[in-house]
């Protein structure tokens, strides 16, 4: 019998110190909460157990939003990146997405340092084996060696540690990610508390030794010349960048994989968890897309101080000997030596429809959760939820209004609304196509959308807020100047002709000229001699806002429509069984999800437009009843 | 706050002296002002409210007079809905009312949901809770009753057509989205010419669907139903009974219905075009002869034949001749005049034309009419009668949605021609997809994502 002892009291305890846990702890602490962050191993704080990069399409947007709200991920990757690229530049500005290769080790070290230097944060190594829950309210946690920590709120951020089980070919064993210890006790209790648990699966490819690779046989993928920082706090960054390398599988690779399919953990039926469709293993790709005669893979450095290279695109649950033989069929990898084999990992998570939009558990008060525990995948998705869980835990403790972003305000809003309202049947990954109002939710304007909100909740500090106000004013001033600066035909027609743009007959504002697709802010400096000296990001912002004005207006109109139903609030105490006219299915779903607005209700599968009408009439009845009572 | 303006035809469909179109909401007076011209060319605003003003409804975009009408506007809050309300009295029949309705929709109103005027009356505090409960019943009835299920089946063809268009759009969208969200994957990007091709195809298909919805066609392409029988068995009376109106001339002299009369009616959601034929028989009368010839022509095209026999007379050779025609048609056999002493031999009819439903009726006594309607509904929903494809865009709301979808795809095509970015083109295509979805009641986002994962090989 373990001797239990009282070890301390906190406002907030965060269980897990991955990307979700770190943001949660920092947010809560920075909002004034005394915070304890627990990790099975302190050396795995902000560990990147899979790809060595932050950002990408959709995900890059999340990081910019986290940063705009006062989160840490953007700042940390800016300190530790070794290559930076803006993806999708051949497409519209709304889908430009930033991605940076990270030095994994350094990323961990810097994040740990930040936590350690945060006054309100204590770090502690150890495994939580039990939550203290009384009267449907969480009160603290109990550690394996018996320490009891009490807290007003607990945030779960257990990642793939919870019930973790690793698969490599025919063998499997209980384990957390990257050979770390799993957390095997908690699930049982969570189930007992009434939480609906499920099992998800993910995988990671092999890491190989750089000195066994021949890069001459691969295509070099260098970083961008001009680096756009992730954090709005950094105006510019400059480093010597590392390259990534591109190569391809071939018929021989596929033949080996096919021959050994029966030895794959996935195909032999040993894995029960649901894997993500967007991240299939190489054996999956070869089976499902048999007509493709090659698949690409990127070789990415894991850091500056290591030879380990990440083989992107080659996630697999085939046995190690098969991994070695198929990798060696690939150009540049003929001599390859694996340093860490690929593996699949299965873990416990919850059905996220049990959560509120604040990421608090509906049935257990003051228990928040984020990251893979909620059924998502990816560092950025985890961090975004961690931030929101941390903010809301702090607000709740302080007796303040919750902080909820809606689908028209942020990718973070889309992410959480999707999880909580629709649930997910596979590890959820952000994509830009999940956002209805993509043209508004750009990565370049995340601060304009969110920093004010972050300031209001107390997470954005003065320095960032001042910087944001300054940038906003510069943009507004410059737009105004462009609107009021007119050019005459005589002065500009030569310039226009030179740039394949039709000449003008009357004077026209620079603003209207910039709407032409063939012109841009940089180009017209020739006819705009007296322009103020402005930062690149400010110039770019003006360009985007002018050029896409028409489409932006279209989306703003859609948002207006959307907001109408979002503003019709539904109390979580509504007894849907008492509302006449709702169909049975709608009644059950509404009861389960307890949407906060008619808008949210309308997104629940099984709630029809007719049900929405019924809800609207019901709301109006309530309002009038209240009104009549007052009279 | 309710801030949109709704419109509907307030009078029951069918033939009547006048039809009334009612509008409610903040823009209703503005809209009336845009489409109404008084006799002396004055704006409606120059007249006091609550006064019927004589004038014309004019489609100013094509400078065409739509109908001669009486219009009235009533200012909030002293109206049924407590909003600004406009009523337009136009000529009876479906066509004038529909034309005006469409013009109003084009000018910014949207078509009202069933019960929506009442719902607004409630929401604006005009009616009390008990009345509101009744409205709620109506709203829920909309999804629950067999009516909707039945209508759903009827609209199956439209859904299918719309579904086909949506399938093309989603395919294109998936290509756009995948190249945006998986920019580094080894996937061939869709080209602009290909995009243009597909979008033109989508546009054509929407246009084709819209063509079928032109007012005239909607009505003309209803379920072709022919009433047939020898003279004076009560065909016109039957038609009138179904219309609950008296329009065709009814007398006791055989051959009064000289020409073919077409009427349009709606039986439990099924649009019918009923043709009351002159009796098919040998005749020397030229006028009637033309009528008879045309009857035969209509008869051959009919989807459903209603044969009327006279119970008070023995089966004549003429009857037997007609029965021969009817034998191979989807048909219902009515024995009329059952209020009189019966002379007809039912067994003989059953032998001559086996397997057909025989309904005994008396139009004069109003017996059996309900049974006829039920049988028509049964035959349609039971799949015995197939309706023609073109008959399906009957709902103005659907037409509205199709028009919006058309506008979106036109904007997408414009964007493609200008070589705009994929993410911008996707906005228009998405809109188009959404509007079409309003017809079939489907939602978007997940569909596209499923499509992406099903069709493309992606992986980290």
């Amino acid at each position: 019998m373990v001797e239990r002892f009282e070890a301390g009291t906190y406002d907030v305890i965060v269980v897990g110190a991955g990307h979700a846990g770190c943001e949660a702890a920092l947010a809560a602490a920075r909002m004034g909460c005394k915070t304890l962050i627990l990790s099975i191993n302190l050396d795995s704080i902000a560990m990147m157990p899979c790809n060595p990069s932050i950002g990408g399409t959709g995900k890059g947007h999340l990081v910019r939003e986290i940063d705009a709200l006062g989160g840490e991920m953007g700042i940390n990757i800016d300190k530790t990146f070794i290559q930076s690229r803006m993806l999708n530049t051949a497409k519209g500005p709304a889908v430009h997405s930033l991605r940076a290769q990270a030095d994994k080790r350094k990323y961990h070290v810097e994040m740990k340092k930040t936590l350690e230097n945060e006054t309100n944060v204590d770090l502690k190594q150890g495994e939580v084996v039990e939550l203290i829950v009384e009267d449907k309210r969480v009160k603290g946690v109990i550690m394996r060696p018996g320490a009891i920590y009490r807290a007003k709120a607990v945030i779960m951020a257990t990642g793939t540690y919870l019930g973790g089980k690793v698969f490599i070919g025919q063998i499997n064993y209980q384990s957390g990610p990257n050979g770390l210890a799993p957390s095997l006790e908690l699930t049982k209790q969570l189930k007992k508390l009434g939480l609906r648990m499920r099992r998800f699966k993910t995988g990671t490819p092999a890491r190989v030794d750089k000195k066994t690779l021949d890069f001459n046989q691969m295509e070099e993928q260098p970083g961008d010349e001009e680096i756009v920082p992730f954090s709005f706090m950094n105006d510019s960054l400059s480093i010597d960048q590392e390259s990534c390398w591109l190569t391809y599988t071939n018929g021989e690779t596929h033949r080996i994989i096919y021959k050994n399919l029966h030895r794959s953990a996935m195909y032999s039926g040993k894995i029960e968890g649901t894997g993500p469709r967007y991240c299939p293993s190489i054996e999956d790709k070869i089976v499902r897309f048999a007509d493709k005669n090659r698949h690409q893979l990127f070789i990415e450095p894991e850091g500056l101080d290591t030879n380990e290279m990440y083989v992107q695109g080659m996630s697999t649950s085939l046995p190690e000997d098969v991994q070695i033989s198929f990798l060696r069929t690939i150009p540049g990898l003929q001599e390859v030596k694996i340093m860490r084999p690929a593996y699949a990992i299965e873990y416990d998570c919850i059905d996220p429809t049990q959560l509120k939009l604040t990421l608090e558990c509906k049935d257990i008060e003051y228990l928040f959760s984020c990251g893979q525990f909620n059924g998502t995948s990816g560092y950025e998705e985890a961090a975004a939820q961690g931030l929101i869980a941390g903010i809301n835990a702090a607000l709740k403790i302080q007796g303040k209004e919750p902080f909820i972003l809606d689908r028209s305000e942020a990718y973070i809003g889309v992410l959480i609304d999707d999880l909580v309202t629709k649930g997910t049947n596979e590890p959820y990954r952000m994509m830009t196509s999940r956002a209805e109002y993509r043209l508004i939710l750009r990565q370049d304007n995340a601060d304009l959308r969110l920093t004010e909100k972050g300031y209001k909740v107390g997470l954005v500090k003065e320095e960032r807020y001042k910087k944001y106000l300054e940038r906003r004013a510069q943009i507004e001033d410059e737009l105004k100047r462009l609107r009021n600066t007119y050019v005459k035909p005589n002065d500009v027609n030569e310039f226009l002709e030179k740039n394949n743009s039709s000449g003008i007959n009357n004077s026209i504002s620079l603003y209207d000229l910039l709407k032409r697709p063939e012109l841009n802010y940089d180009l017209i400096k020739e006819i705009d001699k007296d322009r103020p000296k402005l930062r690149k990001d400010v110039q770019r912002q003006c360009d985007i806002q002018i050029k896409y004005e028409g489409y932006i207006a279209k989306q703003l109109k859609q948002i207006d429509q959307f907001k109408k139903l979002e503003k019709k609030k539904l109390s979580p105490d509504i007894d849907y069984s008492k509302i006449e006219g709702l169909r049975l299915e709608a009644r059950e779903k509404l009861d389960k999800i307890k949407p906060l607005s008619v808008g949210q209700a309308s997104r629940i599968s099984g709630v029809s437009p007719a049900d929405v009408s019924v809800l609207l009439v019901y709301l109006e009845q309530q309002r009038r009843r209240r009104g009549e009572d007052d009279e | 706050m309710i801030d949109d303006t709704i419109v509907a035809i307030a009078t029951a469909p069918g033939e009547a002296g006048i039809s009334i179109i009612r509008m409610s909401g903040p823009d209703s007076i503005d809209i009336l002002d845009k489409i109404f011209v008084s006799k002396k060319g004055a704006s409606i605003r120059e007249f006091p409210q609550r006064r019927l003003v004589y004038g014309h409804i004019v489609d100013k975009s094509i400078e065409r007079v739509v109908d001669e009408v009486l219009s009235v506007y009533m200012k909030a809050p002293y109206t049924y809905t407590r909003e600004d309300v406009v009523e337009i009295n136009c000529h009876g029949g479906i066509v004038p009312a529909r034309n005006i309705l469409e013009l109003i929709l084009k000018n910014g109103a949207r078509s009202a949901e069933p019960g929506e005027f009442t719902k607004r009356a409630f929401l604006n505090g005009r009616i009390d809770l008990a009345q509101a409960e009744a409205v709620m019943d109506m709203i829920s009835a909309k999804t629950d009753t067999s009516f909707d299920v039945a209508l759903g089946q009827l609209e199956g063809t439209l859904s299918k057509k719309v579904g086909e268009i949506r399938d093309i759009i989603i395919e294109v969208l998936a290509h756009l989205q995948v190249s945006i969200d998986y920019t580094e994957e080894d996937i061939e990007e869709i080209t602009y010419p290909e995009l243009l091709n597909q979008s033109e195809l989508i546009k054509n298909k929407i246009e084709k669907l819209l063509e079928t919805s032109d007012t005239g066609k909607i009505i003309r392409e209803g379920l072709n139903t022919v009433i047939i029988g020898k003279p004076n068995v009560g065909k016109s009376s039957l038609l009138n009974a179904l219309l609950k109106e008296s329009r065709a001339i009814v007398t006791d002299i055989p051959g009064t219905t000289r020409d073919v009369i077409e009427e349009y009616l709606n039986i439990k959601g099924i649009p019918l075009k009923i043709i009351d034929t002159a009796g098919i028989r040998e005749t020397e009368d030229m006028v009637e002869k033309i009528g008879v010839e045309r009857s035969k022509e209509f008869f051959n095209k009919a989807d459903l034949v209603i044969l009327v026999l006279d119970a008070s007379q023995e089966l004549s050779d003429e009857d037997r001749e007609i029965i021969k025609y009817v034998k191979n048609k989807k048909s219902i056999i009515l024995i009329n005049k059952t209020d009189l002493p019966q002379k007809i031999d039912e067994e003989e009819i059953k032998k001559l034309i086996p397997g057909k439903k025989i309904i005994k009726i008396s139009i004069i006594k109003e017996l059996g009419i309900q049974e006829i309607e039920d049988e028509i509904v049964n035959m349609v929903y039971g799949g015995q009668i197939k309706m023609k494809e073109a008959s399906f865009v009957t709902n103005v709301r659907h037409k509205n949605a199709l028009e919006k979808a058309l506008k979106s795809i036109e904007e997408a095509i414009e964007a493609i021609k200008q070589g705009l970015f994929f993410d911008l083109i996707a906005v228009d295509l998405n809109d188009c997809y959404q509007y079409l979805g309003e017809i079939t009641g489907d939602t978007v986002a997940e569909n596209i994502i499923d499509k992406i994962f099903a069709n493309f090989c992606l992986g980290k």
Side-chain angles (χ1 to χ4, degrees), chain A residues 57 85 88 91-92 99 277-278 280 288-289 292 296 313 431-433 438 548 551 554 558 581 620, chain B residues 123 140 177 179-186 189 411 421 423 428 431 450 453 456-458 460:
Chain A
T57 45
R85 284 182 65 198
N88 258 344
K91 302 186 181 79
R99 189 189 59 199
R277 284 174 297 177
Y278 48 80
R288 283 182 51 208
F289 300 95
K292 277 196 96 161
Q296 63 180 16
M431 297 160 63
T432 69
S433 28
R438 188 160 67 185
Y548 304 102
Y551 272 95
K554 240 184 226 182
Q558 293 172 346
E620 191 56 29
Chain B
L123 290 175
S140 53
Q177 303 289 30
S179 71
I180 289 168
D181 270 323
Y182 292 91
T183 177
E184 292 205 307
E185 295 286 338
D186 194 13
E189 253 185 29
E411 285 174 3
F421 293 121
D423 41 324
D428 293 320
D431 273 352
D450 288 342
F453 292 138
F456 299 98
C457 176
L458 310 161
K460 85 175 156 185

Side-chain angles (χ1 to χ4, degrees), chain B residues 152-163:
Chain B
Q153 289 174 0
L154 194 64
E155 286 171 356
T157 315
L158 174 64
S159 292
K160 207 176 135 227
K161 293 248 170 212
V162 169

Side-chain angles (χ1 to χ4, degrees), chain A residues 120-180:
Chain A
N120 276 334
V121 175
D122 284 349
L123 294 87
K124 180 92 186 177
Q125 176 165 308
E127 180 192 347
V128 173
V129 290
E130 196 181 327
L131 298 179
I132 306 169
V133 178
E134 293 162 12
D135 301 330
K136 299 210 149 205
R137 181 175 168 171
V138 73
K139 295 281 176 74
V141 302
I142 301 172
M143 311 295 290
R144 185 178 287 285
I148 298 172
Y149 292 102
R150 300 197 182 265
K152 292 176 184 147
V154 172
I155 300 174
M156 301 295 285
T158 51
T160 55
Y161 291 81
L162 194 63
K165 193 176 187 184
V166 160
F167 295 80
I168 303 175
Q170 300 299 88
I171 63 146
N172 61 73
Y173 49 92
Q174 290 175 327
S175 169
N178 209 4
L180 289 151

Side-chain angles (χ1 to χ4, degrees), chain B residues 283-294:
Chain B
T283 175
E284 294 306 314
D285 181 327
M286 273 315 288
V287 178
E288 190 172 335
K289 196 163 185 172
I290 294 166
V292 171
E293 283 305 309
R294 288 192 60 192

